[in-house]
């Protein structure tokens, strides 16, 4: 049992089982021992790898996408560019290099990186800030940032937001929580009382054992973003693994050193995540008056933005080995049996927007 696990067990012994979302928040964000407070989870020695770390084309194409939306909205001269959970800063670095070819856009944006992890904030500063003035950091997304058109990027961010789970039992839906087993170890337990009102009416009659997941954190962030975009313009691009229709099973998972782990085993030492409910995010965005396009598969999205052409340009006048490497990196992003199908892209735009490229 690690130190954080002991702390959480004591909390439960004193106050009773806690929601899975509270467990996730502690495991990931505890100031001293949380996973995202203490380390760089990415990179070769880390726990997982993401699209921008695989290929520079990812950030470059996202820049072209944003510039297209900015132009479609009349190229406003004061806008914000916000990235949620920028990791090592690689996406933003590639984005800015590509955006440099449109100086009017570069001149119009104030950049904010929203990052709760101090280790990663430092890495981001080293990676991008040296060469660029005008980048601000925040620990969380604040409503005051939505004072003008805002372009929001979120790659593998929403999956890191805590979820709650509700399980269909014989007498209704019960919250699945984190409690203690007879040996005093962390274990999943069902709350004693049914809370059917937490589950959408359409799912009420699901089979026994069905699990409904909901991320209140994800929905309230999307509410803030979509209402800003609906009112003042801008665009959001959310790319992540997820589903449009709930799978009715638990998608909570823990990953450590590129391998699956037990989510309750060593809190703070493994990355916890859940699949993103794109259907729920779309519904929230529409209810704020924004237009939603997607979700579409990452493969189709990147293909639509011309990833093939970009890869070819990168490989021009390079040796065979480099060309093969570029091709295999791009393949990893778009192939259906790699990241192409599991990962999806969702865009949020003002009500009057035309269909954006890639959707
Ligand atoms: N977008 C990056 C990193 C993905 S990992 C990439 O694609 O490589 C998730 C990122 O979100 C990390 O930077 C992590 O520190 C950050 N993060 C997770 N939860 C957060 C929260 N609640 N607030 C702000 N940042 C968060």
């Amino acid at each position: 049992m690690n130190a954080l696990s002991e702390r959480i067990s004591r909390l439960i012994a004193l106050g009773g089982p806690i929601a899975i979302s509270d467990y996730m928040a502690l495991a990931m964000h505890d100031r001293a021992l949380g996973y995202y407070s203490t380390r760089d989870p990415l990179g070769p020695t880390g726990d997982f790898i993401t699209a921008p770390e695989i290929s520079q084309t990812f950030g470059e194409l996202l820049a072209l996408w944003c510039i297209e939306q900015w132009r479609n909205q009349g190229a406003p001269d004061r806008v914000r560019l916000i990235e949620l959970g920028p990791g090592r800063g690689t996406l933003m670095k590639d984005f800015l290099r590509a955006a440099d070819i449109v100086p009017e856009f570069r001149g119009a944006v104030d950049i904010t990186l929203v990052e709760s992890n101090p280790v990663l904030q430092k890495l981001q500063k080293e990676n991008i800030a040296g060469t660029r003035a005008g980048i601000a950091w925040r620990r969380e997304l604040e409503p005051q940032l939505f004072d003008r058109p805002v372009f929001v990027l979120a790659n593998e961010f929403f999956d890191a937001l805590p979820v709650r789970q509700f399980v269909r039992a014989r007498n209704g839906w019960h919250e699945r929580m984190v409690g203690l087993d007879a040996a005093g170890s962390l274990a999943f337990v069902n709350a004693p009382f049914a809370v059917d009102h937490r589950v959408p009416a359409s799912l009420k009659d699901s089979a026994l054992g069905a699990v409904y997941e909901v991320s209140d954190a994800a929905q309230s962030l999307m509410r803030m973003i979509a209402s800003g975009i609906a009112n003042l313009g801008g665009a959001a691009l959310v790319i992540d693994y997820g589903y449009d229709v709930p799978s009715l099973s638990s998608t909570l998972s823990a990953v450590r050193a590129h391998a699956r782990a037990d989510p309750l085993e060593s809190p703070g030492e493994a990355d916890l995540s859940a699949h993103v409910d794109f259907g729920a995010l779309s519904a929230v965005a529409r209810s704020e008056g924004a237009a939603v396009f997607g979700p579409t598969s990452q493969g189709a999205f990147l293909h639509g933005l011309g990833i093939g052409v970009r890869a070819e340009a990168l490989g021009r006048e390079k040796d065979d080995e480099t060309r093969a490497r570029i091709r295999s990196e791009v393949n990893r992003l778009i192939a259906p049996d790699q990241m192409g199908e599991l990962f999806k892209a969702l865009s949020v735009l003002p009500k009057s927007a035309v269909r954006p490229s890639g959707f």
Side-chain angles (χ1 to χ4, degrees), residues 29 36 48 50 52 85-87 115-117 120 139 155-157 160:
H29 299 290
Y36 278 123
F48 58 95
T50 57
E115 176 58 69
S116 61
N117 178 336
L120 287 181
R139 288 186 63 93
N155 186 61
E156 288 211 41
F157 171 79

Side-chain angles (χ1 to χ4, degrees), residues 38-341:
T38 52
R39 69 191 73 212
D40 168 15
L42 294 146
T45 57
D47 294 310
F48 58 95
I49 184 154
T50 57
E53 300 296 330
I54 292 170
S55 168
Q56 69 180 80
T57 59
F58 191 78
E60 292 169 349
L61 293 171
L62 263 48
L64 301 186
W65 189 89
C66 276
I67 291 170
E68 176 190 88
Q69 310 325 310
W70 173 75
R71 284 205 171 115
N72 285 347
Q73 294 175 29
D77 60 7
R78 278 195 73 216
V79 302
R80 289 189 196 281
L81 173 62
I82 299 180
E83 186 180 356
L84 304 177
R88 299 161 69 91
T90 308
L91 192 163
M92 188 51 71
K93 197 167 151 194
D94 296 333
F95 183 110
L96 293 175
R97 191 183 52 250
D100 276 344
I101 57 173
V102 184
E104 313 82 62
F105 176 76
R106 271 301 274 125
V109 291
D110 280 332
I111 301 169
T112 304
L113 301 188
V114 176
E115 176 58 69
S116 61
N117 178 336
V119 180
L120 287 181
Q121 265 203 22
K122 188 162 168 277
L123 246 176
Q124 291 154 17
K125 284 179 183 151
E126 285 164 13
N127 261 344
I128 39 185
T131 52
R132 321 249 165 202
I135 301 182
W137 272 263
R138 292 275 179 286
R139 288 186 63 93
E140 55 193 75
L141 190 65
E142 292 158 5
Q144 302 87 285
L145 289 168
F146 295 87
D147 57 352
R148 63 185 88 159
V150 173
F151 294 81
V152 180
L153 304 172
N155 186 61
E156 288 211 41
F157 171 79
F158 277 84
D159 67 78
L161 299 176
V163 293
R164 291 171 74 173
Q165 292 187 341
F166 299 89
V167 185
R168 171 80 208 276
R170 230 170 286 280
N171 62 342
W173 292 83
H174 294 247
E175 181 154 11
R176 192 166 176 238
M177 307 184 84
V178 178
L180 300 174
D181 63 16
S185 303
L186 296 173
F188 290 113
V189 297
N190 285 352
F193 300 106
V195 282
D196 289 18
H197 64 280
R198 287 289 324 213
V199 176
S202 58
L203 302 178
K204 285 265 154 71
D205 295 325
S206 307
L208 282 180
V211 176
Y212 170 66
E213 267 178 7
V214 57
S215 175
D216 295 325
Q219 293 194 15
S220 62
L221 277 180
M222 181 49 89
R223 182 157 287 125
M224 193 194 302
I225 294 166
S227 107
I229 290 171
N231 292 324
L232 295 173
L237 197 50
V238 174
I239 303 176
D240 224 310
Y241 41 91
Y243 51 84
D244 207 14
V245 177
S247 65
L248 295 175
S249 58
S250 170
T251 73
L252 174 66
S253 75
V255 167
R256 193 176 181 179
H258 300 269
R260 281 199 166 250
D262 176 345
L264 300 184
E265 170 101 23
S266 306
E269 294 176 38
D271 179 52
L272 296 182
S273 70
H275 287 211
V276 172
D277 185 346
F278 285 108
L281 292 184
S282 305
V284 167
R286 289 200 179 96
S287 77
E288 292 299 321
V292 173
F293 297 92
T296 190
S297 70
Q298 173 168 296
F301 173 66
L302 294 175
H303 196 71
L305 297 185
I307 195 168
V309 179
R310 179 67 195 127
E312 215 168 278
L314 271 179
R316 207 163 291 146
E317 286 161 29
K318 300 273 165 52
D319 54 63
D320 287 352
E321 201 182 313
T322 310
R323 266 206 302 279
R325 179 180 51 77
I326 294 169
R327 226 176 294 128
S328 100
E329 289 164 354
V330 164
N331 189 56
R332 215 167 145 188
L333 299 189
I334 62 176
D337 60 345
Q338 307 255 334
M339 297 170 79
E341 275 298 326

